[in-house]
């Protein structure tokens, strides 16, 4: 699971949970792969993600590198920066581990890079 | 006096037997209704929370439009009553449907026979996240908002180079569709392997 995907996941799907973002990561297997760099795509994704949460997640698994924690308003034109963002967003993959709800501690397993967000009977909201 | 006693004795067994039969019928009917309906609301009660919402005619039309010119095998993830699988089979695709509700699977198989496509279709019960998507050239899924990110990861990992995925109701979160058909709730988006976590071929060529 890429950190870009992690930035989209929340445990607010659980009944009664309102502060389910971001999910904490407990990774047992992380893989770094090479992904084609596409500056337009990265630019677009940066405007979509929650930047502080992304940095927090990357840092928690030791893959923040020298990615700045604050966004420069001119980031779209900064290719160096876009490459670093590309690396963190798409090239760092959590293969095995757990995502933990910050409010309830509920664990969502990550298996073979895919997070299992399916809920149990008693957790489903209205 | 002897006759009266005989009559009383004969009456009781008959009423009891009739009562038992009536009770049996009601009890049996109740059990059958319960057994059939429970899997329909069971999804909301148990681990897998994907409700049964059949595709509209417009959505089916849009999916078929998106499949024009394609060949190979097809799978509908969460096939419900099998309507998409049947339509695709009629168009020549070797089609499969994965569905957790056993009654819908049973119903789909009957419909396939009725429409003369049962040799072209397969319906089976499985968690859609456990299906190996690399085996199919065409994937159709009517999504649920919160499950699109995990599904996107699965597609990224498993979709073949010649594979395409058609998504209805909710687009993929971090990918750029190659094509789009329809509008509103009937919108259908197309993705290929290269467009997952990326811009589409179209944008890249520009």
């Amino acid at each position: 699971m890429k950190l870009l995907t992690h930035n989209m996941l929340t445990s607010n799907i659980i009944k009664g949970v309102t502060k389910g973002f971001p999910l904490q990561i407990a990774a047992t297997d992380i893989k770094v792969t090479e992904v084609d760099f596409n500056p337009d795509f990265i630019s677009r994704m940066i405007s979509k993600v929650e930047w502080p949460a992304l940095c927090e997640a990357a840092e928690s698994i030791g893959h923040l590198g020298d990615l700045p924690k604050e966004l420069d308003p001119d980031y779209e034109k900064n290719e160096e920066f876009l490459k670093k963002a590309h690396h963190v967003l798409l090239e760092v993959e959590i293969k095995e581990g757990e995502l933990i709800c910050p409010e309830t501690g509920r664990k969502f397993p990550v298996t073979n890079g895919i997070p299992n967000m399916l809920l149990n009977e008693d957790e489903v909201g209205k | 006096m002897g006759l009266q006693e005989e009559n009383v004795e004969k009456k009781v067994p008959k009423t009891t037997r009739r009562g038992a039969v009536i009770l049996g019928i009601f009890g049996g009917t109740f059990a059958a209704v319960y057994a059939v309906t429970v899997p329909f609301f069971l999804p909301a009660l148990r681990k897998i929370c994907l409700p049964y919402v059949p595709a509209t005619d417009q959505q089916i039309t849009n999916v078929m439009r998106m499949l024009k010119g394609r060949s190979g095998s097809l799978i509908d993830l969460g096939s419900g009553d099998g309507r998409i699988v049947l339509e695709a089979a009629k168009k020549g695709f070797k089609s499969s449907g994965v569905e957790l509700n056993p009654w819908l699977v049973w119903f789909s198989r009957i419909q396939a026979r009725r429409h003369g496509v049962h040799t072209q279709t397969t319906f089976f019960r499985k968690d859609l996240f456990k299906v190996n998507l690399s085996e199919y050239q065409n994937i159709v899924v009517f999504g649920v908002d919160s499950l699109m990110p995990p599904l996107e990861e699965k597609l990224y990992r498993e979709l073949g180079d010649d594979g395409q995925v058609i998504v209805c109701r909710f687009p993929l979160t971090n990918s750029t569709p190659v094509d789009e058909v329809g509008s509103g709730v009937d919108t259908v988006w197309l993705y290929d392997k290269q467009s997952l976590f990326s811009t589409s071929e179209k944008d890249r060529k520009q």
Side-chain angles (χ1 to χ4, degrees):
Chain A
M1 175 190 60
K2 299 173 189 292
L3 287 175
L4 174 57
T5 299
H6 167 263
N7 204 271
M8 305 286 142
L9 298 175
T10 153
S11 55
N12 289 336
I13 39 177
I14 301 176
K15 186 165 55 177
V17 172
T18 51
K19 300 195 198 77
F21 179 86
L23 297 169
Q24 289 155 14
I25 305 174
T28 54
D29 186 18
I30 297 172
K31 192 166 151 204
V32 177
T33 56
E34 220 182 279
V35 177
D36 285 347
F37 174 58
N38 186 323
D40 290 332
F41 179 72
I42 298 297
S43 236
R44 212 158 18 105
M45 289 298 115
I46 292 172
S47 64
K48 271 177 68 178
V49 302
E50 254 262 353
W51 192 257
L54 174 75
C55 293
E56 190 187 315
E59 195 167 37
S60 76
I61 55 171
H63 282 265
L64 183 62
D66 52 358
L67 188 72
K69 290 190 185 176
E70 277 195 28
L71 275 181
D72 190 29
D74 276 330
Y75 69 80
E76 285 179 20
K77 304 184 192 121
N78 187 339
E79 181 140 322
E80 270 280 316
F81 166 75
L82 290 179
K83 283 204 171 129
K84 288 180 189 166
H86 162 84
H87 174 77
V88 172
L89 284 167
L90 298 182
E91 294 188 328
V92 178
E93 297 206 12
I94 297 156
K95 288 251 163 245
E96 305 285 330
E98 287 171 332
L99 301 177
I100 305 155
C101 169
E103 200 174 309
T104 63
R106 203 270 202 206
K107 294 180 180 167
F108 298 94
V110 179
T111 315
N112 208 17
I114 301 165
N116 183 348
M117 307 303 295
L118 299 172
L119 298 177
N120 295 319
E121 165 184 342
D122 46 343
E123 295 170 314
V124 181
K126 55 174 156 73
Chain B
M1 228 192 306
L3 274 165
Q4 278 177 336
E5 277 174 1
E6 246 181 78
N7 283 338
V8 168
E9 272 183 48
K10 275 185 191 159
K11 256 197 216 154
V12 171
K14 236 190 201 165
T15 315
T16 307
R17 202 188 328 131
R18 202 189 314 143
V21 166
I22 292 170
L23 187 65
I25 291 171
F26 273 106
T29 310
F30 178 77
V33 167
Y34 185 78
V36 170
T37 57
V38 155
F40 283 86
F41 57 83
L42 207 56
L45 298 180
R46 58 194 261 258
K47 201 170 184 203
I48 319 297
C49 303
L50 301 175
Y52 170 48
V53 182
T56 63
D57 285 342
Q58 190 58 57
Q59 286 167 345
I60 297 173
T61 304
N62 292 344
V63 170
M64 292 303 132
R65 263 174 72 186
M66 208 60 108
L67 282 171
K68 229 173 175 147
R70 295 282 297 173
S71 60
S73 62
L74 176 142
I75 186 165
D76 184 7
L77 302 178
S79 47
D81 62 2
R83 54 186 67 187
I84 295 268
V85 174
L86 296 188
E87 274 307 308
K90 286 179 193 170
K91 299 266 196 292
F93 292 91
K94 195 127 184 72
S95 311
S96 299
V98 57
E99 170 56 54
L100 279 174
N101 184 323
W103 295 102
L104 289 174
V105 171
W106 174 78
F107 179 77
S108 303
R109 290 180 183 149
I110 290 177
Q111 286 295 89
R113 284 196 174 268
R114 281 189 61 216
H115 289 250
V117 291
H118 60 277
T119 53
Q120 282 284 91
T121 58
T122 311
F123 293 96
F124 55 98
R125 288 190 68 207
K126 201 169 190 176
D127 176 353
L128 67 92
F129 281 95
K130 296 200 166 81
V131 175
N132 183 355
L133 301 181
S134 63
E135 294 173 10
Y136 305 92
Q137 285 79 50
N138 304 282
I139 299 169
V140 177
V141 57
F142 280 55
V144 174
D145 196 8
S146 59
L147 292 185
M148 299 322 274
L151 186 63
E152 191 171 39
E153 285 280 347
K154 184 173 169 68
L155 287 163
Y156 181 76
R157 248 152 268 284
E158 294 177 13
L159 192 63
D161 290 331
D162 57 349
Q164 281 188 344
V165 53
I166 295 170
V167 165
C168 193
R169 279 199 219 117
F170 294 99
L172 294 181
T173 331
N174 298 317
S175 306
T176 312
V178 169
D179 200 359
E180 184 178 314
V181 163
S183 61
V185 71
D186 296 329
T187 313
V188 146
W189 295 272
L190 179 75
Y191 302 87
D192 60 12
K193 193 180 176 67
Q194 291 92 329
S195 63
L196 297 174
F197 291 107
S198 182
T199 50
S200 67
E201 190 74 50
K202 215 172 27 162
D203 292 343
R204 269 177 270 132
K205 276 182 178 155
Q206 283 166 7

